[in-house]
Amino acid sequence: MSAVAPVPARTASARQMLAWAFYDWASSPFFAVVITFVFATYVTTVVAPDEIVGTAQWSRMTVLSALIIAIASPILGAVADAGGPRKPWLLGFTLASAVGTSLLWYVRPEHDYLLLALAVILFANVCNEIAQVFYNAMLPDLADRDHLGRWSGWGWGLGYIAGIVALGLTLVVFVQPEPPLFGLDPASAEDVRITGPILAVWLILFSLPLFLYTPDRPATARPLRESIRHGLTVLVATIKDVRRNANIARFLLARLIYNDGLNTLFAFGGIYAAGTFGMSLTEVLLFGIALNVTAGIGAFGFAFLDDRLGSKPTILIGICGLFVAGTIALLTHDKTVFWGVALVIGIFIGPTQSASRTLMARLAPPEQRTEMFGIYALTGRVTAFLGPLMFGTATAWFETQRAGMATILVMFVLGGLLLTRVREPVRARSAG
């Protein structure tokens, strides 16, 4: 158990909470533009020799990324806890992610650049994901328990709106104009590659409110070496605590499975749209914008349901919606039908993610919240390689991306069934 005293139930004003939530706005466009839609499509269909090779290589990159995140996140989180403040760690990984993202400019539309593309995206993704550990761990220290779901959902909602804006700018400013603005050369994909440096500036600029206005934990005055030793000791103890707490363990196992499905959906959504339905880059961008619109609506709309009905029912509603709409998306061969059900999928993505974050905050003992979020990050990534591996393997074996998409539905079913056995704490809810 950490020696760092727990922060009071609420230390942040509404303005400070908004500054915290704005980090979702800063970081989410990377996942929308690079991981899910624009660069995922560009790398697998243009840089790679063909879409099958590109999908397989992309899945391997995602697997390696997930393994690194799974190992590093809980260790770094525990060390940061031992030292006290989280914002210095968050700042370091935010800047590293920005540097990696800016290097995407050098990924030319040639097969020889495939390795560079995968290496740069892996580095930027790992740094961005680890930054999320410190960001998420700040939530239960800043917001009161009756409004955890609201702030978590609003953060996700801001992230989806940011994804819409970033995808829209990419489409309107760089991809559609003929000739492209600023003298960019579409023959060498400069209209696509320019999004890397722009996203890097976006991340740094819009993360400033958090670093300037959101309070942090005080320092413990431990030297770095002592913080590392203490942090690792705490991590081992926390893992043992989780094993003894069957309810938390069941939740983490359930999330491990359905979150793998979500991660795989994010990693291959744009790739599936382009490969299976023959969408052009412009269509994929429009698809991404539309999906983020409905995801933002879902995240904002279900945030109040999370606080009033509970996090577990909200997650189960989300999983059921994802499974039904995902099944239709898998079976249909009509692009219009696929568009329709994909928009429905978007509605249920946001609340499933944000309610998972709030359920962890509600399940964790107050004196162990940060350590538990370290384990939360671990279970969110320790098997995250399985989803992309299953998707890539099924795609290669059956020579169709539909087989890969079917593996995601299986993960939703298994995760949802396990979640039904989790008991959410009964709490007094305020009228707000």
Side-chain angles (χ1 to χ4, degrees):
M1 189 176 297
S2 174
V4 179
V7 176
R10 174 140 188 164
T11 62
S13 65
R15 189 180 84 157
Q16 291 169 330
M17 285 302 310
L18 184 60
W20 171 87
F22 220 68
Y23 189 83
D24 267 310
W25 174 283
S27 60
S28 294
F30 171 84
F31 299 107
V33 175
V34 177
I35 300 299
T36 306
F37 295 108
V38 180
F39 258 88
T41 303
Y42 171 63
V43 171
T44 56
T45 62
V46 178
V47 181
D50 59 68
E51 68 181 45
I52 298 300
V53 172
T55 301
Q57 292 295 329
W58 186 271
S59 70
R60 294 187 181 101
M61 180 275 294
T62 308
V63 167
L64 181 57
S65 174
L67 288 173
I68 295 173
I69 294 166
I71 295 170
S73 293
I75 296 174
L76 291 173
V79 172
D81 274 349
R86 301 189 187 95
K87 285 166 68 172
W89 294 86
L90 180 57
L91 176 62
F93 281 101
T94 298
L95 292 176
S97 179
V99 170
T101 305
S102 67
L103 294 177
L104 292 172
W105 168 255
Y106 298 100
V107 179
R108 298 179 61 84
E110 302 169 15
H111 302 335
D112 291 342
Y113 284 81
L114 179 59
L115 181 59
L116 173 64
L118 296 175
V120 169
I121 292 173
L122 182 146
F123 175 77
N125 186 50
V126 166
C127 292
N128 204 325
E129 288 280 9
I130 293 178
Q132 301 299 315
V133 174
F134 305 105
Y135 170 62
N136 289 338
M138 296 175 72
L139 174 61
D141 288 341
L142 298 173
D144 64 78
R145 292 181 70 82
D146 283 343
H147 296 89
L148 284 172
R150 190 169 305 180
W151 283 110
S152 182
W154 286 351
W156 281 109
L158 283 173
Y160 285 122
I161 295 174
I164 296 168
V165 174
L167 289 168
L169 288 175
T170 301
L171 177 65
V172 174
V173 178
F174 300 113
V175 175
Q176 279 191 332
E178 294 183 4
L181 301 181
F182 312 115
L184 296 171
D185 180 17
S188 58
E190 289 182 351
D191 53 338
V192 176
R193 292 155 51 200
I194 191 63
T195 57
I198 290 176
L199 286 175
V201 174
W202 178 298
L203 175 59
I204 294 173
L205 178 64
F206 290 115
S207 64
L208 287 177
L210 181 147
F211 295 113
L212 293 176
Y213 301 117
T214 302
D216 199 2
R217 283 192 167 195
T220 61
R222 285 194 183 96
L224 180 60
R225 180 177 297 180
E226 174 61 20
S227 294
I228 294 174
R229 186 197 64 78
H230 183 80
L232 293 177
T233 301
V234 166
L235 177 61
V236 173
T238 303
I239 293 174
K240 292 179 180 178
D241 284 344
V242 170
R243 292 172 59 188
R244 288 193 290 265
N245 191 322
N247 194 46
I248 293 179
R250 281 193 294 267
F251 166 62
L252 292 174
L253 179 59
R255 178 181 176 269
L256 180 152
I257 297 173
Y258 70 72
N259 194 62
D260 272 5
L262 285 172
N263 287 335
T264 308
L265 184 63
F266 295 144
F268 294 96
I271 295 171
Y272 182 80
T276 300
F277 291 92
M279 290 190 187
S280 65
L281 179 58
T282 297
E283 287 180 303
V284 170
L285 279 168
L286 290 170
F287 176 73
I289 292 169
L291 195 63
N292 274 268
V293 169
T294 58
I297 293 172
F300 278 112
F302 279 78
F304 296 95
L305 186 65
D306 187 349
D307 284 328
R308 294 184 179 276
L309 185 61
S311 300
K312 174 185 168 181
T314 303
I315 298 170
L316 287 173
I317 291 171
I319 291 175
C320 289
L322 288 169
F323 176 78
V324 173
T327 301
I328 299 173
L330 172 66
L331 297 177
T332 186
H333 291 266
D334 187 294
K335 185 187 291 189
T336 303
V337 174
F338 175 75
W339 264 88
V341 296
L343 298 183
V344 175
I345 287 174
I347 292 176
F348 295 105
I349 288 176
T352 303
Q353 292 177 306
S354 63
S356 297
R357 180 163 63 183
T358 51
L359 182 55
M360 182 72 260
R362 287 166 175 157
L363 287 173
E367 72 279 5
Q368 291 181 287
R369 283 178 184 163
T370 307
E371 290 89 340
M372 287 296 181
F373 264 104
I375 306 302
Y376 179 84
L378 171 64
T379 57
R381 285 296 175 180
V382 69
T383 62
F385 67 92
L386 283 179
L389 182 61
M390 291 167 59
F391 188 103
T393 301
T395 297
W397 279 0
F398 295 96
E399 297 185 346
T400 173
Q401 292 177 330
R402 293 182 187 276
M405 186 61 67
T407 63
I408 297 177
L409 301 179
V410 174
M411 287 183 274
F412 287 154
V413 171
L414 293 178
L417 289 175
L418 285 171
L419 185 64
T420 60
R421 300 185 60 202
V422 176
R423 299 185 309 277
E424 182 172 358
V426 177
R427 58 194 174 86
R429 297 183 176 87
S430 67

